């Protein structure tokens, strides 16, 4: 599909009120600038048209791969970047500044497909799949959520049966990013003993289909679908040998949620930058609206929340680099940063007045996208309860 190329200049400037750039290495700054330049050149000119058409710009997948946006923390041996978690976070921040749907695509590829294959897979599986996923030759998806089981994945109904030479897979998954175009799917299912196992399911396997979900008002530039398994024969060598129990998929979600915390910050920054510039240009009562107290209050609160979120991301990234980041710490970052991004997007929409609902500005697109981001990979309230269990030692899920 062809996309209209807007002539509007993307003049985004990121706020850095606490000089957090001083905490970053030269490599971090170079990586961030490279991704920012890429987003300005390749994404910003076409993203509004893609969203209006509810079309996924699939040609960008290989370009994302060429830039190293897929699984950048995976070792270079497997065709990835071998970078640290600060670099990964900065990448996701810049991509979601462009659009949440494209960051979702990259997060799924890196954190939910490449990560489990690297972490739980055999060396043969790593060498077979990771280089193709890293380059964008393959697009992957992650099958955990089911029509009846979202926040409670342990209740999944998808099953595998050991048939000697292969596993027989039956069931379905819902709300799966990348599914309609995915070459492979990392799928979670229960065996005869009720243990959750991970399998790599390849497009073309008989009985495996990926119907697309249409009429979305959010993440319109990403492709979302179902995974349907009707007596799919999965070779034994496609089982992830080191994944056993719910810990497997939850480990993947920790990695994805970390990227979301940075990504949502990118969307918040974009809304703030647009609101600040609009407020300085928009004249009412013979002066720019930026001169009014209530407008300055909104901008000051936006900057404050962005600065706090930047510090959370940086510290969490350092903990990830040291192997010390906990699930609860990641939950706090995901919950806080998506929440502040939503609030900033809503305030920015008001500051833009009627123009805020048009594609001339990115605000309404970010706002619609963030309504999905606040729900997936653990809802706002689920993350609150994860923190509650960490604080009290009492789980509210049972």
């Amino acid at each position: 599909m062809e996309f209209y190329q807007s002539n509007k200049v993307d003049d985004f400037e990121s706020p850095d009120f606490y000089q957090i750039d001083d905490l970053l290495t030269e490599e971090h700054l170079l990586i961030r600038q490279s991704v920012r330049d890429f987003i300005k050149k390749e994404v910003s000119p076409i993203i509004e048209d893609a969203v209006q058409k509810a079309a996924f710009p699939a040609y960008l997948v290989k370009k994302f791969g060429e830039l190293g946006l897929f699984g950048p923390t995976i070792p270079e041996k497997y065709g990835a970047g071998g970078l640290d978690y600060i670099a990964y976070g900065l990448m996701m921040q810049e991509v979601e500044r462009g659009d949440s749907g494209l960051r979702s695509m990259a997060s799924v590829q890196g954190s939910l497909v490449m990560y489990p294959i690297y972490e739980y897979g055999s060396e043969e599986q790593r060498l077979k799949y990771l280089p193709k996923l890293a380059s964008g030759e393959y697009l992957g998806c992650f099958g955990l959520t089911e029509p009846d089981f979202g926040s409670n994945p342990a209740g999944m109904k998808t099953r595998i049966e050991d048939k000697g030479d292969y596993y027989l897979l039956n069931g379905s998954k819902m709300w799966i990013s990348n599914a309609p175009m995915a070459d492979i799917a990392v799928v979670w299912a229960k065996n005869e003993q009720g243990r959750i196992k991970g399998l790599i399911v390849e497009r073309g396997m008989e009985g495996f289909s990926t119907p697309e979900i249409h009429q979305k008002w959010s993440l319109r530039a990403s492709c979302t679908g179902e995974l349907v398994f009707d007596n799919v024969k999965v070779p034994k060598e496609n089982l992830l040998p080191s994944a056993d129990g719910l810990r497997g998929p939850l480990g993947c979600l920790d990695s994805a949620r970390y990227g979301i915390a940075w990504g949502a910050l990118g969307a918040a920054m974009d809304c703030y930058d647009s609101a600040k510039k609009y407020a300085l240009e928009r004249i009412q009562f013979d002066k720019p609206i930026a001169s009014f107290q209530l407008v300055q209050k909104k901008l000051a609160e936006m900057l404050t929340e962005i600065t706090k979120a930047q510090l959370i991301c940086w510290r969490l990234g350092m903990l990830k680099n040291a192997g010390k980041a906990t699930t609860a710490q990641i939950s706090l970052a995901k919950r806080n940063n998506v929440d502040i991004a939503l609030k900033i997007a809503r305030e920015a929409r008001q500051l833009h007045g009627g123009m805020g609902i048009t594609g001339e500005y990115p605000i309404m697109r970010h706002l619609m996208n963030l309504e999905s981001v606040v729900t997936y990979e653990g809802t706002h309230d689920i993350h609150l309860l994860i923190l509650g269990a960490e604080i009290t030692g009492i789980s509210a899920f049972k």
Side-chain angles (χ1 to χ4, degrees), residues 99-114:
D99 189 72
S100 300
L102 296 179
R103 199 271 309 142
S104 294
M105 178 267 288
S107 282
V108 168
Q109 184 89 332
S111 293
L112 300 181
V113 181
M114 295 176 70

Side-chain angles (χ1 to χ4, degrees), residues 304-372:
T304 300
E305 293 305 319
I306 285 171
T307 301
K308 288 152 66 176
Q310 286 174 315
L311 289 166
I312 287 173
C313 280
W314 177 80
R315 179 58 183 157
L316 185 61
M318 296 300 288
L319 290 169
K320 283 283 285 180
N321 284 342
K324 294 179 178 179
T326 67
T327 293
Q329 288 169 337
I330 294 168
S331 283
L332 184 150
K334 193 271 186 183
R335 181 178 184 272
N336 178 81
N337 291 10
V338 179
D339 184 55
I340 67 106
L342 262 173
K343 290 174 179 175
I344 287 169
R346 288 172 182 144
E347 291 282 32
R349 213 293 305 152
Q350 291 194 51
L351 283 180
H352 283 75
M355 293 304 294
I357 71 166
T358 72
E360 182 72 16
Y361 296 91
I363 311 303
M364 185 59 80
R365 174 169 54 82
H366 282 310
L367 185 52
M368 291 191 299
N369 284 340
L370 288 165
E371 288 293 347
S372 289

Side-chain angles (χ1 to χ4, degrees), residues 188-224:
W188 302 92
K190 286 183 179 177
N191 64 13
E192 294 94 331
Q193 291 75 42
R195 297 296 296 175
I196 294 174
K197 298 290 184 178
L199 306 96
I200 302 170
V201 182
E202 300 176 21
R203 183 168 296 281
M205 288 182 174
E206 189 175 353
F208 174 42
S209 59
T210 58
E212 187 168 0
I213 295 171
H214 297 284
Q215 298 184 333
K216 297 182 300 177
W217 287 113
S218 183
L219 301 182
R220 288 168 61 85
S222 72
C223 56
T224 311

Side-chain angles (χ1 to χ4, degrees), residues 51 100 111 132 134 194 196 199 207 254 273 277-278 299-300 328 366 381:
V51 167
S100 300
S111 293
K132 291 182 178 180
I196 294 174
L199 306 96
D254 272 353
D273 185 61
K277 288 170 178 170
Y278 186 82
L299 292 172
H366 282 310
D381 289 342

